[in-house]
């Protein structure tokens, strides 16, 4: 992550948390006052990359700072995530690869930034291929792969990661590659793969992209998801990857979700009914704003506090 990105997110914290006092909106219909102007101020940020006078142009949302989601596991990406992210998208073909990144970010969050490492949610990319029987699922998977292009998949990989695999030999084994955006690795423990080469990477990406692609019945796929939670320490899954639509989503709804519900692993209703996204992410009523150990919290201009008593942090 660049210095500009760090400055950018701090500017947004100032706008979301420091520009409007928590009780700025009074909604006094009798006097015709929507907002008390003494409780709204400019942030007057002047920096190397951004100059933002403010104030925030509208009333902040109930969350003020929206939930910060992040993707990218390069060295700088991990540091940024450990400091600022509340949920992180991770990807890998096996739990052992993802587990290392998860552990490093949680440790950084705790030791470098004083955050509760378990408050950060990790969502693993996954593309399940489901069938009523294992044979049906395998036939689907074989068919889906036949529709893909290896060259196209490798071009996608380059676009996603900034890494050109054409610089590697056709039979050269790949273990780790890295760019400014991502550090990506392959594990020898991946089922069905003896050696990761440019060709096997391309084949895998044709169905599932950079994530795992469990193939089987709903019971088998649910078992694999539970294994990922145990071994990679992830909190949930990102089903952004799909083979076909609406077919992949239909299979998830009709086959996988009932099995996950049977195991008590999929929610039936919101944890906080009528709550904000953050309240439901943490499962905590009242946790609309960032937790106190999140860097955005120090920018918060609380109700009843005069502007002179709450100086906008410079960093």
């Amino acid at each position: 992550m660049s210095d500009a990105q760090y400055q950018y997110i701090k500017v947004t914290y100032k706008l979301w948390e420091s520009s409007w006092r928590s009780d700025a909106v009074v909604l006094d219909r009798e006097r015709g006052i929507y907002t008390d102007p003494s409780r709204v101020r400019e942030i007057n940020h002047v920096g190397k990359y951004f100059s933002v006078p403010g104030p925030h142009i509208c009333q902040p949302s109930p969350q003020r700072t929206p939930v910060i989601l992040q993707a990218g596991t390069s060295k700088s990406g991990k540091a940024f995530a450990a400091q600022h992210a509340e949920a992180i998208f991770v990807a890998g073909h096996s739990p052992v690869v993802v587990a290392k990144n998860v552990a490093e970010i949680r440790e950084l969050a705790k030791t470098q930034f004083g955050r509760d490492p378990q408050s950060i949610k990790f969502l693993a990319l996954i593309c399940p291929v489901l069938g009523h029987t294992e044979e049906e699922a395998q036939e689907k998977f074989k068919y889906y792969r036949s529709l893909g292009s290896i060259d196209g998949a490798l071009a996608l990989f380059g676009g996603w990661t900034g890494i050109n695999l054409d610089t590697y030999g056709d039979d050269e084994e790949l273990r780790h590659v890295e760019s400014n955006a991502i550090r990506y690795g392959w594990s020898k423990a991946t089922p069905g793969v003896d050696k990761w080469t440019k060709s096997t990477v391309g084949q895998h990406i044709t169905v599932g992209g950079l994530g795992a692609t469990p193939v089987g019945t709903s019971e088998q796929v649910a078992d694999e998801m539970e294994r990922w939670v145990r071994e990679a320490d992830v909190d949930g899954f990102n089903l952004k990857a799909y083979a076909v639509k609406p077919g992949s989503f239909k299979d998830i709804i009709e086959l996988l979700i009932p099995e996950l519900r049977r195991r008590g692993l999929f929610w039936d209703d919101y944890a906080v009914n009528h709550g904000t996204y953050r309240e439901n992410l943490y499962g905590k009523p009242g946790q609309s704003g960032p937790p106190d150990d999140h860097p955005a919290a120090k920018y918060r201009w609380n109700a009843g506090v005069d502007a002179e008593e709450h100086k906008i942090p410079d960093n």
Side-chain angles (χ1 to χ4, degrees), residues 7 31 37 61 75 77 80-81 83 144 175 192 204 212 217 236 238 261 290 298:
Q7 187 182 131
R31 294 189 296 158
S61 73
K75 183 177 180 180
F80 186 89
Q83 185 175 7
Y144 294 158
R175 294 304 303 277
H204 189 96
T217 64
N238 173 21
R261 280 194 167 131
K298 69 179 180 181

Side-chain angles (χ1 to χ4, degrees), residues 232-246:
D233 192 25
V234 296
D235 301 279
F237 295 90
N238 173 21
L239 295 170
K240 179 182 177 182
Y242 55 88
V244 296
K245 62 178 182 181

Side-chain angles (χ1 to χ4, degrees), residues 80-100:
F80 186 89
Q83 185 175 7
H84 296 284
E86 295 177 85
I88 301 170
F89 295 112
V90 290
H93 295 147
S94 69
V96 67
V97 172
V98 171
K100 185 174 183 294

Side-chain angles (χ1 to χ4, degrees), residues 17 50 152 185 242 259 269:
E17 298 285 349
F50 304 100
Y242 55 88
E259 176 61 22
D269 201 355

